[in-house]
Amino acid sequence: MHGLSVIVVTWNSGREIVACLRSLKRSLRGISHELIVVDNHSGDNTCNTIFRCFPSVRLICNRTNTGFGAGNNTGLRRSRYDHILLINPDTVANAHALRTLWVFLQEHPAVGVVGPEQMNVAGRFLFTTSKLSVGGVLTFLIESVLWRLTSARRIVFSPIIVVKQLNAGCIMARRDILGATHQWFDPALLFYGEEFSFFPRVCARGLKIYF
C-alpha cells in the first residue's frame, strides 16, 4: 500500500512524545500515513499520554525493554505502507522537512534511504556520522561559526550528497530496501551502533543513501 508508516520507539519519553507526535501530524498532512509507537516498558506516563492524547496512534506496549533496534523491528512487522520513517521521540519535525524527504524518494527510485539535517534544542547543527568527510566537516565548522556570530538557525549550505550512513534518529526509506525482511536492526543491540550493521546491508543491495 502506497504511503508512509512512521515508527517511534519510546522509553520513558512522556515529556517529549507529545511535541513529537504533534509535529508529525502537522508535517505529514496530505501524505497517506500511519503513526506507530512501540513503547519499551516505560516506567513513566508515556503509554497513558499517547492513549489519551493520540487515540489514532497504533500503540504497542512491550512488557520488557527490547531496545531500539528490536523495537523498530516490531514496528516494521506491524506497519502496512511501502515507505518507512524511523524517528526518535525527542525529535520535532519542522513544517517542510519530512515532505522534502518524501518527495525526494518519489523522484529518485535508485535511492533507498534519505536523512535530514538535524539540530539540537539550542538550534545548533548536530555533527553526525553523515558528515564524516572533508566537505562535511568544513560545512559543519562554517555553519557552527556563523551560528555563534549571528544566532541564525538556518542551513547555510545545503548540498544533497551520497553518504555511507545516516543518523538513525530520523531516516526515511523504502520498505523493501532489505527485501522482505522486517528485521532491519540487530536485536542484540539495545542502544547505539545500529547504523553500523544496517547501512552496509543497504549499500550491498546497490541502493543509494542520501543526506
Side-chain angles (χ1 to χ4, degrees), residues 2 29 33 47 62 66 98 109 182:
H2 187 58
R29 287 173 182 164
H33 68 277
C47 285
N62 289 332
T66 61
L98 299 184
H182 294 140

Side-chain angles (χ1 to χ4, degrees), residues 170-188:
C170 182
I171 59 173
M172 190 179 293
R174 303 184 192 283
R175 184 186 188 87
D176 60 355
I177 51 172
L178 295 179
T181 181
H182 294 140
Q183 188 157 306
W184 284 11
F185 300 104
D186 183 350

Side-chain angles (χ1 to χ4, degrees), residues 32-51:
S32 296
H33 68 277
E34 63 177 345
L35 299 179
I36 301 171
V37 175
V38 180
D39 184 74
N40 272 327
H41 197 57
S42 291
D44 65 357
N45 63 340
T46 300
C47 285
N48 288 336
T49 298
I50 297 170
F51 183 78

Side-chain angles (χ1 to χ4, degrees), residues 19-211:
C20 174
L21 293 176
R22 282 178 177 168
S23 74
L24 290 172
K25 284 182 170 290
R26 183 170 57 248
S27 301
L28 295 173
R29 287 173 182 164
I31 299 174
S32 296
H33 68 277
E34 63 177 345
L35 299 179
I36 301 171
V37 175
V38 180
D39 184 74
N40 272 327
H41 197 57
S42 291
D44 65 357
N45 63 340
T46 300
C47 285
N48 288 336
T49 298
I50 297 170
F51 183 78
R52 184 180 68 254
C53 300
F54 302 94
S56 63
V57 170
R58 187 180 304 178
L59 179 61
I60 303 168
C61 297
N62 289 332
R63 295 183 178 181
T64 60
N65 186 350
T66 61
F68 175 83
N72 276 303
N73 292 340
T74 297
L76 284 162
R77 287 193 297 270
R78 299 288 291 273
S79 63
R80 56 179 176 149
Y81 286 115
D82 60 352
H83 291 74
I84 304 294
L85 172 69
L86 306 182
I87 189 166
N88 283 353
D90 60 351
T91 302
V92 175
N94 70 28
H96 307 291
L98 299 184
R99 181 172 296 278
T100 299
L101 298 181
W102 171 259
V103 171
F104 189 83
L105 275 179
Q106 307 313 302
E107 295 178 347
H108 299 84
V111 177
V113 190
V114 292
E117 183 75 80
Q118 297 178 49
M119 296 180 176
N120 63 18
V121 293
R124 297 182 181 179
F125 298 99
L126 298 182
F127 186 83
T128 66
T129 52
S130 309
K131 298 181 179 179
L132 290 178
S133 66
V134 174
V137 171
L138 288 176
T139 297
F140 175 77
L141 291 175
I142 293 172
E143 288 184 331
S144 297
V145 170
L146 289 175
W147 186 92
R148 291 178 180 275
L149 293 176
T150 66
S151 295
R153 300 185 181 186
R154 60 189 179 88
I155 299 174
V156 181
F157 306 102
S158 57
I160 300 174
I161 58 174
V162 177
V163 296
K164 293 297 184 182
Q165 69 179 52
L166 297 163
N167 181 348
C170 182
I171 59 173
M172 190 179 293
R174 303 184 192 283
R175 184 186 188 87
D176 60 355
I177 51 172
L178 295 179
T181 181
H182 294 140
Q183 188 157 306
W184 284 11
F185 300 104
D186 183 350
L189 298 173
L190 290 181
F191 303 103
Y192 304 113
E194 297 86 0
E195 298 98 331
F196 299 112
S197 61
F198 171 68
F199 288 109
R201 292 162 65 201
V202 174
C203 293
R205 292 179 64 86
L207 296 170
K208 295 180 180 179
I209 302 167
Y210 271 81
F211 173 69

